[in-house]
Amino acid sequence: MAAKFFLLALLALSFSGALASGPSQLQDFCVGDSRGGVIFVNGFACKDPKTAVAEDFFFFCGLHMAGNTSNKQGSAVTAVNVAHIARLNTLGISLARVDYDRYGQNPPHIHPRATEILTVVEGSLYVGFVTSNPENKLFSKALNKGDVFVFPQGLIHFQYNCGTTKAIAIAALSSKNPGVITIANAVFGSKPSILDDIVAKAF
């Protein structure tokens, strides 16, 4: 009897784990229709799939161009996600090109809805992420051209150009809309502002 109960419990756990993952697609694709399609999937209007053409899947021509890194962080992110390309709706992927000036950084931030895999295309980067509380353990690594690093979903991570030349990376993300929350901007730049006493006590 105990063996049967254990087997049933194990089966229940395996099914609950399967149900906890993201929902599977209900159709092949949902090409966003800026003219006001009538079917909505995941918040975006879809055109009739029978009217889709190959051009609907040609997303972007511009990732070969460097972003403008003349800012305080010395970096530029060129994103290709559902906010820019509605055709990515329901497909669960996006990507970005990140350009880094000498000693530029992509400051500590999180993607609340995506895991990120980053490939260094040019230059060298020092990258890392911090585990969730209470451990707050830093996993970091110096990367060179061709190296790949993964940032788990929802964890604070960063990239810093530790080389003496410009650097370029391509990031792939496991969501059509990964979101980005830059930690310093969120804490110190919220509107309305977080009370000074709260921020002072926290830091």
Side-chain angles (χ1 to χ4, degrees):
M1 184 68 174
K4 285 183 182 178
F5 177 77
F6 178 74
L7 180 60
L8 286 173
L10 190 61
L11 283 171
L13 282 174
S14 65
F15 282 120
S16 68
L19 294 173
S21 65
S24 61
Q25 290 186 191
L26 302 176
Q27 58 200 55
D28 288 342
F29 50 81
C30 167
V31 174
D33 187 357
S34 60
R35 296 165 299 171
V38 294
I39 300 171
F40 281 80
V41 178
N42 292 343
F44 290 83
C46 302
K47 71 192 292 187
D48 185 336
K50 293 176 187 156
T51 65
V53 293
E55 283 72 26
D56 288 327
F57 300 93
F58 176 72
F59 299 147
F60 199 77
C61 54
L63 284 186
H64 65 290
M65 298 170 56
N68 182 359
T69 59
S70 60
N71 54 57
K72 290 180 182 178
Q73 300 298 333
S75 67
V77 177
T78 305
V80 182
N81 59 46
V82 74
H84 305 96
I85 308 295
R87 297 161 187 89
L88 285 174
N89 190 38
T90 75
L91 298 183
I93 57 169
S94 59
L95 62 87
R97 171 185 170 139
V98 189
D99 291 278
Y100 310 84
D101 207 348
R102 290 176 57 196
Y103 312 115
Q105 67 172 346
N106 192 359
H109 63 282
I110 66 169
H111 302 293
R113 295 178 292 276
T115 292
E116 174 182 342
I117 184 166
L118 181 106
T119 304
V120 179
V121 178
E122 292 293 338
S124 301
L125 295 175
Y126 172 69
V127 304
F129 68 87
V130 180
T131 62
S132 59
N133 285 323
E135 291 87 5
N136 291 329
K137 182 175 180 182
L138 173 66
F139 289 84
S140 62
K141 185 86 174 157
L143 306 179
N144 297 303
K145 183 177 180 178
D147 290 344
V148 177
F149 198 83
V150 174
F151 305 104
Q153 179 175 340
L155 297 185
I156 295 173
H157 60 284
F158 62 88
Q159 301 106 39
Y160 170 73
N161 183 355
C162 57
T164 56
T165 62
K166 292 188 175 188
I168 304 169
I170 297 291
L173 299 112
S174 64
S175 171
K176 65 173 186 172
N177 185 18
V180 62
I181 300 170
T182 303
I183 306 306
N185 291 352
V187 174
F188 298 107
S190 70
K191 296 176 185 175
S193 298
I194 299 172
L195 294 175
D196 289 345
D197 291 347
I198 294 172
V199 174
K201 190 168 185 176
F203 287 91

